[in-house]
Amino acid sequence: DHCVTGVQTCALPIYADDSGEWVAYGLENTTVLIEDGVVTRLVPSSNYQLGQGDVTVTARGRWVMPAPIAMAGAEDEAGLERWLEGGRLVDATLTGIGSIVLPEALAEGPHGRCAASRLAELEIPAASVIGADAESLAALDGVPVLDGSLGPAQALERAIRDALDEGRSPTEILAMLTTMPSAALGRPSLGSVEPGAELKVLVLDENPLENPLSILRPHAVTFGDRVMRRAEIEVLRDASTRGEEM
């Protein structure tokens, strides 16, 4: 099955030009085809006909970009472990976050393996967990670190607003959340919507190259071959919360 997203603008890789300025290009009126979680083609929307079994998000006037990669922050190991809670990982997805980076020992420990299993089975529509060794964590210097004392939405919003206050451009901020961490982790396909890339994709109501805060409320997110609209994820999150309270 294919996920098909017909979009106004598809944000392609962001890169630093010869002068060190971050540059982004986009394709207008483009359909992104995803199979088994991998982008297979980018085609003009006018040239693509839906096939049997295709899943589509009506996205005219919307934008597509890679789901951000964020560093988990906390004062201690117990605080970092809380990022592995299913509810917090779902909340991260509702905030537009595609992956949370944690120290390798935590990501591969019991809580990390449990979260990875639930994600692999699509039991919960949540941000993925990426374990990073000391060398990779050091290479992530400059990537926003989420304040563990806040919820994912507040933490990412603060990180973006802090970067804007520092005078960083929206394009550079998107690079800090996509291109830079994916390269540092040795997984560049997580940072670009292009053929061969295996990643979560955000569908946004606003242009993130003009307003990076638009990431915080995605219209939809892809999970493998599935496209889930924000309202669907919120329903599952509420059901999960009620189950925990019973």
Side-chain angles (χ1 to χ4, degrees), residues 1-4 33-38 53-56 122 222-228:
D1 292 337
H2 290 73
C3 291
V4 181
L33 287 88
I34 303 173
E35 186 172 5
D36 295 330
V38 178
D54 285 352
V55 181
T56 182
L122 293 178
T222 66
F223 297 89
D225 278 342
R226 300 172 64 186
V227 180
M228 297 195 71

Side-chain angles (χ1 to χ4, degrees), residues 69-73 80 99-103 128-132 137 140 181 185:
I69 303 166
M71 289 273 292
L80 285 175
S99 303
I100 296 286
V101 180
L102 286 164
S128 302
V129 176
I130 298 177
L137 289 173
L140 286 163
L185 293 166

Side-chain angles (χ1 to χ4, degrees), residues 33-52:
L33 287 88
I34 303 173
E35 186 172 5
D36 295 330
V38 178
V39 177
T40 57
R41 283 188 294 158
L42 303 176
V43 298
S45 296
S46 59
N47 292 348
Y48 186 77
Q49 293 185 344
L50 292 175
Q52 185 174 4

Side-chain angles (χ1 to χ4, degrees), residues 77-103:
E77 184 170 314
L80 285 175
E81 282 188 350
R82 283 196 289 273
W83 282 102
L84 292 169
E85 296 171 357
R88 176 167 279 208
L89 291 173
V90 176
D91 287 343
T93 291
L94 288 169
T95 305
I97 298 170
S99 303
I100 296 286
V101 180
L102 286 164

